[in-house]
Short mmCIF file of all heavy atoms in Angstrom, two decimals:
data_model
loop_
_atom_site.label_atom_id
_atom_site.label_comp_id
_atom_site.label_asym_id
_atom_site.label_seq_id
_atom_site.Cartn_x
_atom_site.Cartn_y
_atom_site.Cartn_z
N PHE A 30 47.36 34.18 -25.07
CA PHE A 30 47.81 35.56 -25.27
C PHE A 30 48.63 35.62 -26.59
O PHE A 30 49.39 34.72 -26.87
CB PHE A 30 48.71 36.02 -24.12
CG PHE A 30 47.97 36.11 -22.82
CD1 PHE A 30 47.80 35.01 -21.99
CD2 PHE A 30 47.37 37.30 -22.43
CE1 PHE A 30 47.14 35.08 -20.84
CE2 PHE A 30 46.66 37.37 -21.23
CZ PHE A 30 46.57 36.25 -20.43
N ALA A 31 48.39 36.66 -27.35
CA ALA A 31 49.12 36.76 -28.62
C ALA A 31 50.56 37.18 -28.43
O ALA A 31 50.85 37.98 -27.59
CB ALA A 31 48.37 37.76 -29.51
N ASP A 32 51.45 36.62 -29.21
CA ASP A 32 52.86 36.94 -29.11
C ASP A 32 53.12 38.37 -29.51
O ASP A 32 54.06 38.98 -29.01
CB ASP A 32 53.69 36.01 -30.05
CG ASP A 32 53.70 34.56 -29.50
OD1 ASP A 32 53.47 34.43 -28.30
OD2 ASP A 32 53.97 33.65 -30.30
N LYS A 33 52.32 38.90 -30.42
CA LYS A 33 52.58 40.24 -30.89
C LYS A 33 51.71 41.28 -30.21
O LYS A 33 51.19 42.18 -30.81
CB LYS A 33 52.37 40.34 -32.40
CG LYS A 33 53.45 39.49 -33.15
CD LYS A 33 53.44 39.81 -34.63
CE LYS A 33 54.61 39.09 -35.30
NZ LYS A 33 54.65 39.41 -36.76
N HIS A 34 51.49 41.08 -28.89
CA HIS A 34 50.87 42.05 -27.97
C HIS A 34 49.35 42.08 -27.98
O HIS A 34 48.74 42.55 -27.05
CB HIS A 34 51.38 43.47 -28.25
CG HIS A 34 52.88 43.62 -28.06
ND1 HIS A 34 53.53 42.92 -27.09
CD2 HIS A 34 53.75 44.31 -28.75
CE1 HIS A 34 54.81 43.26 -27.21
NE2 HIS A 34 54.99 44.06 -28.20
N SER A 35 48.72 41.66 -29.04
CA SER A 35 47.23 41.69 -28.99
C SER A 35 46.66 40.63 -29.91
O SER A 35 47.23 40.19 -30.89
CB SER A 35 46.74 43.07 -29.41
OG SER A 35 47.05 43.33 -30.75
N ARG A 36 45.43 40.21 -29.50
CA ARG A 36 44.69 39.27 -30.35
C ARG A 36 43.35 39.87 -30.66
O ARG A 36 42.66 40.38 -29.77
CB ARG A 36 44.48 37.95 -29.59
CG ARG A 36 43.59 36.95 -30.33
CD ARG A 36 43.71 35.60 -29.70
NE ARG A 36 43.31 35.60 -28.31
CZ ARG A 36 42.03 35.47 -27.91
NH1 ARG A 36 41.05 35.30 -28.78
NH2 ARG A 36 41.74 35.43 -26.63
N GLN A 37 42.96 39.84 -31.93
CA GLN A 37 41.72 40.44 -32.32
C GLN A 37 40.68 39.33 -32.49
O GLN A 37 40.94 38.33 -33.11
CB GLN A 37 41.86 41.22 -33.65
CG GLN A 37 42.72 42.48 -33.51
CD GLN A 37 42.81 43.27 -34.75
OE1 GLN A 37 42.74 42.69 -35.83
NE2 GLN A 37 42.94 44.56 -34.63
N SER A 38 39.48 39.60 -32.00
CA SER A 38 38.38 38.66 -32.17
C SER A 38 37.17 39.37 -32.73
O SER A 38 36.89 40.51 -32.32
CB SER A 38 38.05 38.01 -30.83
OG SER A 38 37.66 39.01 -29.89
N SER A 39 36.46 38.70 -33.60
CA SER A 39 35.34 39.36 -34.27
C SER A 39 34.19 39.57 -33.23
O SER A 39 33.89 38.73 -32.40
CB SER A 39 34.80 38.46 -35.37
OG SER A 39 35.83 38.32 -36.35
N ILE A 40 33.55 40.70 -33.37
CA ILE A 40 32.33 40.99 -32.54
C ILE A 40 31.17 40.26 -33.22
O ILE A 40 30.99 40.30 -34.40
CB ILE A 40 32.07 42.51 -32.53
CG1 ILE A 40 33.23 43.25 -31.88
CG2 ILE A 40 30.79 42.81 -31.83
CD1 ILE A 40 33.06 44.75 -31.86
N ALA A 41 30.43 39.52 -32.40
CA ALA A 41 29.35 38.75 -32.89
C ALA A 41 28.38 39.57 -33.73
O ALA A 41 27.96 40.63 -33.30
CB ALA A 41 28.61 38.06 -31.75
N GLY A 42 28.07 39.06 -34.91
CA GLY A 42 27.11 39.75 -35.73
C GLY A 42 27.68 40.79 -36.69
O GLY A 42 26.97 41.36 -37.47
N ASP A 43 28.99 41.11 -36.52
CA ASP A 43 29.60 42.11 -37.45
C ASP A 43 31.05 41.79 -37.61
O ASP A 43 31.91 42.18 -36.88
CB ASP A 43 29.43 43.53 -36.81
CG ASP A 43 29.88 44.61 -37.81
OD1 ASP A 43 30.41 44.23 -38.86
OD2 ASP A 43 29.66 45.77 -37.47
N SER A 44 31.32 41.00 -38.69
CA SER A 44 32.69 40.56 -38.92
C SER A 44 33.62 41.71 -39.37
O SER A 44 34.79 41.54 -39.40
CB SER A 44 32.66 39.47 -40.02
OG SER A 44 32.11 39.97 -41.22
N SER A 45 33.06 42.87 -39.70
CA SER A 45 33.87 43.96 -40.15
C SER A 45 34.52 44.72 -38.98
O SER A 45 35.45 45.50 -39.15
CB SER A 45 33.05 44.97 -41.01
OG SER A 45 32.01 45.53 -40.17
N LYS A 46 33.98 44.51 -37.78
CA LYS A 46 34.48 45.22 -36.56
C LYS A 46 35.36 44.24 -35.76
O LYS A 46 35.09 43.03 -35.67
CB LYS A 46 33.32 45.71 -35.72
CG LYS A 46 32.51 46.81 -36.36
CD LYS A 46 31.41 47.27 -35.42
CE LYS A 46 30.56 48.34 -36.06
NZ LYS A 46 29.51 48.82 -35.16
N LYS A 47 36.40 44.79 -35.20
CA LYS A 47 37.34 43.97 -34.42
C LYS A 47 37.51 44.60 -33.03
O LYS A 47 37.44 45.84 -32.89
CB LYS A 47 38.70 43.90 -35.10
CG LYS A 47 38.67 43.30 -36.49
CD LYS A 47 38.42 41.85 -36.51
CE LYS A 47 38.48 41.25 -37.95
NZ LYS A 47 38.28 39.82 -37.94
N GLN A 48 37.74 43.78 -32.04
CA GLN A 48 38.04 44.27 -30.74
C GLN A 48 39.16 43.42 -30.14
O GLN A 48 39.27 42.22 -30.33
CB GLN A 48 36.85 44.27 -29.78
CG GLN A 48 36.41 42.90 -29.35
CD GLN A 48 35.30 42.99 -28.34
OE1 GLN A 48 34.76 44.08 -28.05
NE2 GLN A 48 34.96 41.85 -27.72
N VAL A 49 40.02 44.07 -29.36
CA VAL A 49 41.11 43.39 -28.70
C VAL A 49 40.66 42.95 -27.34
O VAL A 49 40.26 43.75 -26.51
CB VAL A 49 42.33 44.31 -28.58
CG1 VAL A 49 43.46 43.65 -27.79
CG2 VAL A 49 42.84 44.68 -29.97
N ASP A 50 40.67 41.65 -27.08
CA ASP A 50 40.23 41.15 -25.76
C ASP A 50 41.41 40.60 -24.95
O ASP A 50 41.22 40.31 -23.74
CB ASP A 50 39.11 40.15 -25.85
CG ASP A 50 39.54 38.87 -26.59
OD1 ASP A 50 40.72 38.76 -26.96
OD2 ASP A 50 38.68 38.01 -26.82
N SER A 51 42.56 40.38 -25.57
CA SER A 51 43.73 39.87 -24.85
C SER A 51 44.93 40.69 -25.25
O SER A 51 45.15 40.98 -26.44
CB SER A 51 43.99 38.40 -25.19
OG SER A 51 42.88 37.62 -24.78
N LEU A 52 45.76 41.03 -24.28
CA LEU A 52 46.91 41.91 -24.51
C LEU A 52 48.11 41.41 -23.78
O LEU A 52 48.03 41.10 -22.59
CB LEU A 52 46.57 43.30 -24.02
CG LEU A 52 47.68 44.40 -24.21
CD1 LEU A 52 47.90 44.66 -25.71
CD2 LEU A 52 47.23 45.66 -23.52
#
Side-chain angles (χ1 to χ4, degrees):
F30 295 86
D32 289 339
K33 293 193 174 182
H34 301 322
S35 65
R36 173 167 61 87
Q37 292 184 330
S38 60
S39 298
I40 298 177
D43 188 351
S44 59
S45 65
K46 295 182 180 180
K47 302 287 183 178
Q48 72 173 7
V49 175
D50 64 4
S51 299
L52 180 67

